[in-house]
Amino acid sequence: MSNKFIGLKKNLSKSALGLGLALSVVATDVAAAEYNWRFSNLYSRGTAFGELYENLGENIEELSDGRINVQVLYSGEGVGTTGLLGAVKSGLITMGAPFQSMHAGELPAGVVEIGLPGGTADTDELYSLFHEKGWGDVLEEAYGSQGLVWLEPYIQPPVYILTKEPIESVEDFEGLKIRAPGAYGKFLRNLGASPVSMAWSEIYTSLATGVIDGSIGSNMIDHRDGNHVEVAKYMYPLPLAGAQVLPIVVNRSAWNKLPDELKEAVREATEIHAEQQLTKSQEWESEAIEEMKANGMQWSPEPSEADKEAWAEAGATLREEYAEQGKYSKQLIEILNETGY
């Protein structure tokens, strides 16, 4: 595990707005704040990652000395997954944690940012890519062109595919309907599958009713938290991507209203969040695998060498394809090719 991905301040005390707070106290806190922010994420209430976004909101409140109040919104609470980026742009919500693959048409560079299939899983290399090799500068400009402020990104673990039937060889992907947005969908289309884009909260029902035959999760923890193993038991051993890097974005108009010391407080909170995402997700991934195995999850058979070659070939054209999606995507791909990551 890398300690470099974020230069963070350790041992910060974390405040907690207990669920049992009286409504009158909450109302007083909101009224006392100078800035009231709405922060939307992709997850349902009660999920492991959902708690980390709660922590981010709480850290913003604490580090701003209560001058910023953050209301955390979960999946489907006013804003749908596919509308999240647009909601931050418009100011309907102030801050968002989008899944870039759901916004491939709006911001192609985000699909490159999250990590194309076959990209590096090394967290030191990812740190260098964003903070030393120039990806951060390109992405600040890319998001800025859409009225957004791009803050510290965070890493989540590898992306795996869960299917209702075992995958004996890559040929078994032919014709399968798999929830796989963005570059993941393009990758699986190269193997003959039919990718489908849908919100994480819709995966369980869609698997149960046969709308889809399989799904990626953002990571193994997503599959566990969604109880997906109840309706699809087979995990394919090869990851689609070795890691995912996701952003926190803020409406630029709201950001510009903050004095410098509060901007710094928000940046520091997102750095803490990034560290928590990295350390917790690595811990939770192994736990999730064991829990799912106990609930019936099975690994599909180990891929043959021919399968592994076909897997690699499916992702080989994606860099070239995304380099043609816009100037920011092109700049990111150029840096990626220069570094050899």
Side-chain angles (χ1 to χ4, degrees):
M1 178 186 70
S2 169
N3 291 321
K4 285 197 332 186
F5 188 65
I6 334 88
L8 302 170
K9 295 182 179 178
K10 306 277 188 176
N11 302 320
L12 279 168
S13 61
K14 308 291 189 297
S15 65
L17 293 176
L19 292 177
L21 282 174
L23 290 177
S24 60
V25 175
V26 174
T28 300
D29 289 345
V30 171
E34 296 175 45
Y35 306 92
N36 292 299
W37 282 17
R38 288 157 55 86
F39 171 36
S40 186
N41 72 83
L42 304 167
Y43 291 91
S44 302
R45 290 185 179 272
T47 56
F49 282 110
E51 293 180 9
L52 292 184
Y53 295 114
E54 285 280 358
N55 291 345
L56 172 55
E58 292 166 3
N59 284 334
I60 290 173
E61 291 177 348
E62 178 167 315
L63 291 169
S64 70
D65 293 325
R67 295 169 67 187
I68 303 175
N69 174 270
V70 181
Q71 178 188 8
V72 179
L73 303 174
Y74 290 83
S75 178
E77 296 180 358
V79 178
T81 302
T82 57
L84 199 157
L85 198 68
V88 182
K89 291 181 195 178
S90 69
L92 178 63
I93 57 175
T94 320
M95 184 167 72
F99 184 38
Q100 304 96 306
S101 296
M102 303 299 291
H103 309 285
E106 295 174 83
L107 189 68
V111 180
V112 182
E113 172 191 18
I114 198 173
L116 297 178
T120 181
D122 187 295
T123 55
D124 286 343
E125 290 182 350
L126 288 169
Y127 176 90
S128 176
L129 196 60
F130 281 86
H131 294 280
E132 298 168 1
K133 302 298 184 183
W135 262 34
D137 294 334
V138 174
L139 288 163
E140 282 185 4
E141 186 176 341
Y143 282 97
S145 70
Q146 303 212 15
L148 299 166
V149 175
W150 177 85
L151 299 177
E152 185 70 42
Y154 57 94
I155 297 177
Q156 287 190 353
V159 181
Y160 287 88
I161 305 169
L162 190 69
T163 56
K164 299 184 72 167
E165 300 295 332
I167 302 296
E168 305 284 349
S169 77
V170 291
E171 294 177 356
D172 291 342
F173 284 108
E174 183 75 36
L176 293 186
K177 299 185 295 295
I178 300 179
R179 183 262 187 177
Y184 306 131
K186 291 179 182 291
F187 177 93
L188 288 169
R189 186 177 284 115
N190 289 342
L191 294 174
S194 298
V196 177
S197 183
M198 64 175 57
W200 178 83
S201 58
E202 298 171 352
I203 294 171
Y204 182 96
T205 301
S206 297
L207 285 168
T209 58
V211 172
I212 56 176
D213 304 303
S215 176
I216 70 159
S218 291
N219 49 66
M220 288 287 197
I221 303 146
D222 282 0
H223 285 310
R224 188 271 311 275
D225 286 352
N227 296 320
H228 299 159
V229 170
E230 289 185 357
V231 287
K233 295 190 179 298
Y234 297 96
M235 195 76 71
Y236 191 64
L238 295 179
L240 264 171
Q244 289 190 126
V245 184
L246 300 102
I248 298 293
V249 294
V250 176
N251 175 273
R252 185 166 57 198
S253 177
W255 179 261
N256 288 340
K257 292 176 182 176
L258 296 179
D260 289 344
E261 68 270 17
L262 292 189
K263 291 177 181 176
E264 182 57 33
V266 175
R267 288 191 184 278
E268 185 173 347
T270 61
E271 290 172 352
I272 295 168
H273 174 73
E275 182 189 38
Q276 290 180 341
Q277 284 272 356
L278 181 60
T279 57
K280 286 294 187 181
S281 62
Q282 290 174 331
E283 173 188 336
W284 291 338
E285 183 184 42
S286 58
E287 294 175 357
I289 292 172
E290 292 307 311
E291 288 178 30
M292 288 190 292
K293 286 169 65 177
N295 289 325
M297 186 199 91
Q298 301 177 44
W299 292 99
S300 284
E302 185 66 23
S304 66
E305 289 304 313
D307 285 344
K308 292 177 182 177
E309 289 179 12
W311 194 257
E313 289 173 4
T317 62
L318 292 180
R319 287 192 184 187
E320 181 179 342
E321 182 176 347
Y322 273 96
E324 299 174 356
Q325 297 295 313
K327 68 175 184 178
Y328 299 117
S329 296
K330 182 178 181 181
Q331 290 172 27
L332 294 175
I333 295 296
E334 286 174 349
I335 294 171
L336 201 60
N337 290 336
E338 288 169 3
T339 60
Y341 293 163

